[in-house]
Every structure is written in structure tokens, then in C-alpha cells.
Amino acid sequence: MTRIVAVHGALPPHRHAQRDITDMVARTCLPPGADRRVLDRIHANAGVRTRHTVLPLEEYDKLDGLGAANDVYVDAAVRLGAEAVHGALSKAGLTPADVDVLMFTTVTGIAVPSVDARLVGRLGLRPDVKRLPVFGLGCVAGAAGVARLHDHLTGTEGQVAVLLSVELCSLTFQRDDASPANLVATALFGDGAAAVVLVGDGHPTPATGPEVVGTRSRLYPGTGHVMGWDIRSSGFTVVLDPAVPDVVRRHLAEDVQGFLEPHGLKPKDIARWVCHPGGPKVLDAVTDVMALPEGALDITRRSLAEVGNLSSSSVLHVLRDTLEQRRPEPGTPGLLMAMGPGFCSELVLLRW
């Protein structure tokens, strides 16, 4: 049995109203004198009210290319990652020396040595901690990280694993780029981090969170073009096809039903849907194809409104909020799910 015992989210200090970010994007991404009505409409319809950024808004037009943005990323990711891991371990009543496995995931910056390696000495993790840095999974990585750590912990005796996600999406916004994909990205994505502590069977930590019952990974052939990065000297240029909600509508219901059936469950049996906040159109697609009851994704939509889409960190913030605000009855099933580049999905069945 693998159990989630603590989740902690961390956000950078600079918090902004959506309108202020829209004004920053107009200054840095649109040509001088350009009509900004399309930008204003995209940002107003994103379902986002506020977001956090790692830099003050006035400093983004000073970032000159991939190198400058990545320097900011490395420094901030270590600081924010340390805050997230420390907070999660404190909630779990554990110390850094208790950690046997540390998985780190990101898709918004590159560091060698990796961020997890830089945290070992800073946090007091053991020198023999097993580390696994993961790059490229994007938004799906929060759910995939929980699933892969469950795979590792299954069959081990009493180990502690930590998943750390740090995503500084604002550093990937492209200056002088008025493309629809960049404008949508600047409307949705924010900065943040999250850490999850999981324990294997036999660990003495009190059972405060849900059990991980099973997982499913699914890659959809022929959809690799709908989401990702183009890596250029200017930085990470977003690939974001308008067809993403259509891919969700075509595939998700069949995947969820096929995943739940061997466990004797149907979608109507799920007490809590812990869903990544991909954006309003994606959430509408999930709601429609799964025939979810009204309010089933309220926590997800609230997270999108309050902090934006944090890529891989987002579903972990939704998990934290579910634990703290809408914990279901013990023994009831929940489903943690996210989608991302590939195009792919990751499903994690929980028992509360």
C-alpha cells in the first residue's frame, strides 16, 4: 500500500491581477501601436483572476533570451523547491533525513546539476537519497510523478518518497510574439511549486491522506503536434494547438471507464475529481464527456482562478486543496488526473 501523507504548495512573492499581466503582455509581446482587443479577450476569457510570478512584472522585458531566463529559473527553482519540500515534510511530521527517494519534475527550465541535487545539502537530505530528475512531461507530470513513485514504493518496506514540482512558466513567455499560442499561454500560465510526501507499506507515519490504489498511463498516437515546446535562442516557445479540448473529448471517457472497470467502479462512483486545470475549454470538455455533476471540478476551477495553470504543479495544488477543504468520507474513491504533451493522460485511483 502506498499512501499520500502530505502535500504542500509554494508560490513566488509577486501576485498580480490578471489585468496587470495583460498590460505587461501588451507592452512586451505586441507590436507598437497594435490593436490589443484580441489579447484582451483571450486574457479575460481564461478563467484566471490572479497569478504569481517569480519576477516583478516590470523586469520581464529585460530578459534577453534563453540564457538570461534560465539563470533566473535555476536560482528561483532552488529557493521555491526548498520551501515546498520543507513544508510537505513538516506537515508529514518527517525530517529530510527520512527521505529515501526524491523525484523532481519541471518543464520550464534546465539545471545541471539538477535542482534536486542542489537541494540535498541545502535541506539536509541524506547523501544516499535516490534522485530522479524528470524533464518533458509538462502538465501531466504532477499526476505521473505520484504514479511513478507509487510504482517504486510498491513492494518496498516503509520507504518515504517525495515528489517535487517547480514550474516558472512566466519565464517562458516570448517577447515580441503576438501568435495566438503565446497569447493564450500568457493568459493561463503562472509560477509555483508543490511537493508531495508518499510512504510505502509499513511506514509508521499516521495515515492522514488517501491510498494510491492503481495507475494508468496513456499516450494518444498522432497527437504529438498539439502541445509542447519549440526550443529557440529566445527560449521555450509554446506549441499549443486549439485541438487540445477535442483530443480530450475523443479519448478521456473511454480511458477513465476502462481504468475504473477492473476495480469494480464507474465514473459516477468517484467521490472527488482531482483534475489538472488545463483551461476553461479543457475543463468543459472533461465535464461534458464524463457527465460530471455540477460542482465536481469547483476546486480545480478555483485554483485556475486564483493562481492560473501551474503546469505540473497545478494538479498537486488541487490535491492539497481537496485534502484541506473537501476531504470525502473514508473509504470512498477519488481520481487524480492530468493531461500533457505527447498528447497523453495519467490517471491515479485513490481511496480516501
Side-chain angles (χ1 to χ4, degrees), residues 3-23:
R3 187 170 291 276
I4 296 169
V5 294
V7 187
H8 187 76
L11 297 166
H14 307 290
R15 183 172 180 262
H16 317 282
Q18 178 79 332
R19 184 67 188 184
D20 293 333
I21 296 178
T22 307
D23 290 341

Side-chain angles (χ1 to χ4, degrees), residues 315-338:
V315 75
L316 306 180
H317 278 247
V318 176
L319 176 62
R320 177 205 60 192
D321 294 345
T322 302
L323 285 165
E324 295 179 356
Q325 301 170 18
R326 292 190 63 186
R327 183 188 294 262
E329 292 295 319
T332 56
L335 190 66
L336 174 74
M337 63 180 184

Side-chain angles (χ1 to χ4, degrees), residues 16-104:
H16 317 282
Q18 178 79 332
R19 184 67 188 184
D20 293 333
I21 296 178
T22 307
D23 290 341
M24 181 271 283
V25 172
R27 293 193 305 270
T28 59
C29 298
L30 299 184
D35 187 337
R36 56 177 283 175
R37 284 178 293 181
V38 171
L39 168 68
D40 289 338
R41 183 170 66 251
I42 291 173
H43 277 234
N45 294 333
V48 178
R49 292 195 301 267
T50 57
R51 278 180 283 169
H52 292 250
T53 61
V54 72
L55 293 175
L57 293 183
E58 62 271 17
E59 294 189 18
Y60 281 88
D61 60 355
K62 302 174 185 176
L63 293 177
D64 184 17
L66 176 59
N70 201 68
D71 287 345
V72 175
Y73 169 86
V74 173
D75 179 65
V78 171
R79 287 186 282 106
L80 206 59
E83 179 184 344
V85 173
H86 176 78
L89 289 173
S90 295
K91 286 182 179 179
L94 298 170
T95 70
D98 294 319
V99 178
D100 300 293
V101 183
L102 174 62
M103 176 184 286
F104 170 69

Side-chain angles (χ1 to χ4, degrees), residues 290-321:
M290 299 311 308
L292 297 184
E294 185 177 354
L297 299 184
D298 278 357
I299 292 179
T300 293
R301 292 185 187 274
R302 189 180 310 123
S303 182
L304 178 65
E306 292 177 355
V307 298
N309 183 336
L310 306 179
S311 189
S312 65
S313 299
S314 261
V315 75
L316 306 180
H317 278 247
V318 176
L319 176 62
R320 177 205 60 192
D321 294 345

Side-chain angles (χ1 to χ4, degrees), residues 12 38 88 95 110 141 143 150 155 175 184 196 237 260 278 289 304 313-314 322:
V38 171
T95 70
I110 303 169
H150 166 69
R175 295 188 305 168
V184 170
V196 183
T237 303
L260 295 179
V289 299
L304 178 65
S313 299
S314 261
T322 302

Side-chain angles (χ1 to χ4, degrees), residues 84-289:
V85 173
H86 176 78
L89 289 173
S90 295
K91 286 182 179 179
L94 298 170
T95 70
D98 294 319
V99 178
D100 300 293
V101 183
L102 174 62
M103 176 184 286
F104 170 69
T105 186
T106 191
V107 76
T108 52
I110 303 169
V112 182
S114 55
V115 169
D116 49 287
R118 296 167 192 244
L119 289 174
V120 172
R122 182 180 181 125
L123 288 173
L125 297 163
R126 300 198 316 264
D128 66 343
V129 65
K130 295 179 174 67
R131 297 183 298 105
L132 182 59
V134 176
F135 180 91
L137 287 176
C139 295
V140 79
V146 171
R148 299 294 79 78
L149 287 180
H150 166 69
D151 295 343
H152 173 85
L153 291 171
T154 299
T156 64
E157 184 66 27
Q159 287 201 355
V160 175
V162 173
L163 168 65
L164 170 62
S165 161
V166 180
E167 301 288 14
L168 305 182
C169 304
S170 69
L171 297 176
T172 71
F173 297 166
Q174 294 296 290
R175 295 188 305 168
D176 304 319
D177 181 356
S179 66
N182 190 52
L183 298 187
V184 170
T186 63
L188 284 173
F189 290 98
D191 297 346
V196 183
V197 180
L198 303 95
V199 296
D201 196 27
H203 195 277
T205 296
T208 57
E211 174 190 354
V212 179
V213 177
T215 69
R216 184 178 202 176
S217 302
R218 181 56 59 93
L219 190 66
Y220 305 124
T223 61
H225 64 284
V226 303
M227 184 180 289
W229 293 130
D230 285 334
I231 310 298
R232 298 173 178 166
S233 60
S234 61
F236 296 163
T237 303
V238 69
V239 176
L240 193 60
D241 195 290
V244 169
D246 297 330
V247 177
V248 173
R249 291 182 185 274
R250 283 199 303 270
H251 297 287
L252 185 64
E254 181 181 356
D255 280 348
V256 171
Q257 291 162 4
F259 175 51
L260 295 179
E261 186 175 359
H263 298 279
L265 297 170
K266 296 181 179 180
K268 65 181 180 61
D269 299 319
I270 298 300
R272 290 292 181 270
W273 295 81
V274 184
C275 181
H276 168 70
K281 292 182 179 179
V282 172
L283 295 180
D284 289 345
V286 172
T287 299
D288 292 346
V289 299

